Amino acid sequence: MASDDIAQLADALSKTHVGDGELSLKGLGLKLDDSESVAELLGKIEQYPVLRALRLEGNTVGVEAAKAIAKALESKDQLQRCYWSDMFTGRLRSEIPTALMCLSGALMSAGAQLTELDLSDNAFGPDGVKGIEQLLKSPSCHTLRELRLNNCGMGIGGGKILAEALIECHKKSTAVGSALRLKVFVAGRNRLENDGASALAKAFQLMGSLEEIHMPQNGINYGGVMALASAIRHNPELRVLNFNDNTFTKRGTLAMAQALRHLRNIQVINFGDCLVRSEGAIALAAVLTEGLPVLKELNLSFGEITAGAALVVAQAVMDKPHMEKVNLNGNCLGEDGCDVLREVLDNVDKGDLLASLSEDEGEPDDEEDEDSDTSDSDGSDECYEEIVKENGMNGGESPEKPQSQAEILSFLSNPSAEKLSHMKMNLQQGVNVSEPNKAAELFLKIGSLHSQDAEANAAVFEVIDGVLKKVLSASALQSHCFLTTLLVLMGVLKGEGKMKKVPLVPGQLLCLEHAVQQEYFTQHHASVFHTLLSRNVDALKSCSSARDRLSSALEKKSHKYH
């Protein structure tokens, strides 16, 4: 250790106060190679009768120095907080696990009861996780409340080791009557991917005590997001969710939306750069309308969200009394969409909620296709059914009779007024709110039978009313999924995956006009539908007269809502 480093260490230590219980070398940039280089630090540790926190971050500690520090810590049974981030710069990766094992062993020997452990920015990989594995399983971590492992390069293997260690710690601590109650978990930039995230999700679900989860930039897509969504449902005290820069797509966003319905304490949601897309954004808006009462911040930036969907989100956040910021930057609003979004919020004195839109990507081209990742998102009902099953929800549905489903499929393949007349009851009873794709297709098939015949139309409206009353009386999330699916099939909203636009006839829009005027089609439903339709009226130009009647009915119904 150079003489100037020794002088700097001595100066830093001379400014510490024994009475506060914290010994800090934070950010000094010292190169601590051996026992000689840490001699003054060891002396200072000995002077602390009650050492509660040790800050070594921003220095570089070699194996021999770590062994010497560990020896001094073996008597410090009151140590609770270890701030050891960015502690191995310039060290061989093979040295780090040994150094961590030495320090971990000292904490266990001392019988320390840790509450905070921060090893962020150490790039130690899976082997580094092995270096703290035994510590995490030990009684010294039964009291752990905050674990920070940001930017450590753990990878899938390290994520699995960490998950198993947390699970074992929880089991052992529970067995002695004091279950591990971890509150803060930070593991961004670790290349955890689906398998690592799924392993950690099991630990999260078991603990059920988390208040903050930060896992940005981990290469997690739908499979891992689904596992995490299932786990967060079991952590009712969650306040902060940060999954920035992973890949949700529609399927993952729907899973998260379902999970968020169970949480009442969420204050910050960061799903920025997660490719939530328009359908996912509308699903999250649905959850906002019926829950998340204390939400303060919502980040849906860089998610390929179009202007209509962004407006639905904006409408959903308006009534949130604690809302401080909504970030929709970097999406596909277009110049006009940005202006309308600002205007909508300004009109209710909420303009200050909106983050900058300076990096908007502009309106998407019609030929652009959102199913570039079709292996992850096929736009089918299996997506929603799987989410409902995984989250233990069925929207109040009873199991359907195979006969009803067979009759519905027969009708969908070849609709006719005669079939409709004979199958009215089965069509109404057989529709499943957890299958928005089939429900929307059924609506359009029924609507295609609209004609000039008054008796035939009465049958059409009767079935339409029965189907929509069932679908739209479900949860806000389920009804929004149906409405957005219907708009995708109509070509009004750009969807994800393989759903194709259905050729429209005026009768389908006239059936919608009829539905809008019914009690089951609420002002809120009308507002969402009108907002999305008004952003793309040209999609229905082939049925312009019926479109105008529908738009008029929607505007009239939604007027009071606004």
Side-chain angles (χ1 to χ4, degrees):
M1 184 176 185
S3 58
D4 54 345
D5 278 351
I6 294 175
Q8 190 177 2
L9 173 58
D11 180 60
L13 292 174
S14 70
K15 297 175 182 177
T16 60
H17 302 284
V18 174
D20 61 14
E22 178 178 297
L23 180 56
S24 177
L25 299 183
K26 181 179 179 180
L28 295 181
L30 303 176
K31 193 169 187 290
L32 307 175
D33 294 323
D34 48 35
S35 57
E36 180 182 355
S37 65
V38 293
E40 292 205 36
L41 171 61
L42 302 182
K44 199 70 175 181
I45 290 175
E46 290 298 324
Q47 293 177 27
Y48 272 68
V50 181
L51 180 63
R52 299 192 184 279
L54 179 59
R55 309 197 75 111
L56 298 176
E57 65 263 56
N59 299 287
T60 175
V61 181
V63 172
E64 294 304 315
K67 287 180 179 179
I69 295 170
K71 186 69 176 175
L73 293 177
E74 287 180 353
S75 62
K76 300 302 173 183
D77 61 346
Q78 299 298 306
L79 186 58
Q80 298 175 334
R81 304 185 303 279
C82 297
Y83 303 108
W84 296 348
S85 63
D86 189 20
M87 203 172 71
F88 298 109
T89 301
R91 301 295 173 181
L92 295 175
R93 190 161 168 174
S94 58
E95 294 180 76
I96 301 174
T98 303
L100 288 173
M101 286 179 186
C102 292
L103 294 167
S104 296
L107 297 175
M108 291 186 283
S109 295
Q113 299 287 297
L114 296 184
T115 58
E116 297 180 47
L117 178 60
D118 187 353
L119 287 163
S120 300
D121 300 317
N122 278 314
F124 48 49
D127 289 341
V129 184
K130 292 178 182 178
I132 58 171
E133 181 181 8
Q134 295 308 312
L135 172 64
L136 291 173
K137 293 177 178 180
S138 75
S140 288
C141 283
H142 288 184
T143 50
L144 196 62
R145 296 294 178 264
E146 300 185 15
L147 178 59
R148 302 175 189 275
L149 296 167
N150 201 58
N151 191 32
C152 288
M154 290 189 288
I156 295 171
K160 289 181 176 181
I161 295 168
L162 176 60
E164 287 301 319
L166 291 173
I167 289 170
E168 185 167 338
C169 181
H170 184 271
K171 289 179 178 178
K172 287 181 175 179
S173 60
T174 301
V176 296
S178 182
L180 170 65
R181 293 192 55 79
L182 191 67
K183 292 184 178 181
V184 178
F185 180 85
V186 181
R189 300 184 65 186
N190 270 293
R191 304 193 307 275
L192 294 170
E193 301 182 15
N194 283 352
D195 289 347
S198 297
L200 285 165
K202 293 177 182 178
F204 297 166
Q205 182 164 328
L206 183 65
M207 291 185 292
S209 57
L210 288 166
E211 296 180 7
E212 297 185 24
I213 300 176
H214 302 263
M215 296 176 65
Q217 291 184 298
N218 269 298
I220 307 167
N221 59 36
Y222 166 68
V225 173
M226 185 76 161
L228 289 166
S230 181
I232 68 173
R233 288 181 61 238
H234 299 273
N235 288 264
E237 300 304 316
L238 269 169
R239 294 182 294 104
V240 179
L241 277 179
N242 178 6
F243 292 118
N244 190 284
D245 198 9
N246 290 290
T247 306
F248 282 24
T249 64
K250 171 185 172 182
R251 303 178 76 184
T253 311
L254 282 176
M256 279 293 173
Q258 279 280 24
L260 286 169
R261 295 181 71 229
H262 297 264
L263 305 177
R264 304 288 296 174
N265 297 303
I266 289 286
Q267 297 178 14
V268 178
I269 295 174
N270 186 344
F271 295 164
D273 206 10
C274 284
L275 213 62
V276 301
R277 292 178 172 155
S278 296
E279 291 173 277
I282 294 168
L284 292 170
V287 177
L288 274 167
T289 63
E290 64 178 3
L292 305 179
V294 296
L295 188 67
K296 293 181 178 180
E297 295 183 24
L298 177 64
N299 185 345
L300 298 179
S301 59
F302 299 93
E304 294 189 3
I305 299 168
T306 55
L311 286 169
V312 173
V313 172
Q315 290 169 359
V317 303
M318 285 179 187
D319 297 327
K320 294 297 169 187
H322 303 284
M323 202 72 191
E324 297 174 0
K325 183 178 181 182
V326 57
N327 189 345
L328 291 163
N329 198 17
N331 284 298
C332 305
L333 312 187
E335 185 176 349
D336 179 60
C338 289
D339 290 343
V340 172
L341 183 61
R342 293 188 190 99
E343 181 181 352
V344 163
L345 289 169
D346 283 339
N347 285 344
V348 291
D349 295 323
K350 299 281 188 178
D352 57 339
L353 295 182
L354 189 62
S356 169
L357 298 173
S358 60
E359 296 181 77
D360 186 72
E361 296 285 340
E363 294 184 58
D365 296 330
D366 289 339
E367 64 270 17
E368 285 183 1
D369 192 358
E370 286 193 355
D371 63 353
S372 58
D373 56 345
T374 52
S375 63
D376 188 48
S377 46
D378 61 10
S380 69
D381 275 332
E382 284 77 4
C383 153
Y384 193 83
E385 287 181 274
E386 185 179 354
I387 291 164
V388 169
K389 181 179 178 182
E390 182 73 20
N391 287 279
M393 299 179 61
N394 61 12
E397 290 290 290
S398 56
E400 296 153 12
K401 296 177 181 179
Q403 181 183 358
S404 297
Q405 286 300 292
E407 289 180 337
I408 289 176
L409 291 173
S410 171
F411 179 81
L412 289 174
S413 65
N414 187 22
S416 69
E418 183 179 2
K419 281 186 179 180
L420 182 68
S421 178
H422 286 96
M423 297 168 57
K424 287 191 294 186
M425 190 58 68
N426 281 345
L427 289 174
Q428 294 175 59
Q429 293 178 346
V431 69
N432 189 339
V433 299
S434 67
E435 296 181 328
N437 211 19
K438 288 179 183 174
E441 185 182 357
L442 177 62
F443 171 85
L444 291 173
K445 293 289 187 181
I446 298 169
S448 69
L449 300 177
H450 185 282
S451 68
Q452 299 300 317
D453 184 277
E455 185 177 345
N457 277 348
V460 168
F461 288 152
E462 180 184 348
V463 181
I464 288 290
D465 289 340
V467 169
L468 292 190
K469 186 175 182 180
K470 186 175 183 180
V471 172
L472 296 179
S473 64
S475 71
L477 177 56
Q478 289 169 322
S479 61
H480 276 57
C481 284
F482 167 77
L483 292 175
T484 53
T485 302
L486 183 59
L487 285 162
V488 170
L489 291 174
M490 291 168 63
V492 174
L493 184 67
K494 175 168 279 191
E496 179 181 287
K498 299 176 182 177
M499 276 196 292
K500 300 299 181 184
K501 177 183 175 182
V502 174
L504 295 178
V505 295
Q508 293 161 325
L509 303 189
L510 295 176
C511 285
L512 267 175
E513 180 200 18
H514 162 82
V516 169
Q517 299 173 57
Q518 308 309 308
E519 187 175 343
Y520 59 73
F521 207 104
T522 67
Q523 289 179 338
H524 178 65
H525 293 141
S527 175
V528 171
F529 210 92
H530 185 251
T531 297
L532 295 166
L533 180 60
S534 64
R535 299 302 306 171
N536 193 8
V537 291
D538 288 345
L540 306 181
K541 60 185 177 182
S542 63
C543 307
S544 58
S545 177
R547 175 199 64 193
D548 293 345
R549 286 177 57 176
L550 172 59
S551 294
S552 177
L554 286 166
E555 186 173 5
K556 184 177 179 181
K557 185 70 171 271
S558 62
H559 178 71
K560 292 181 181 179
Y561 183 81
H562 292 298

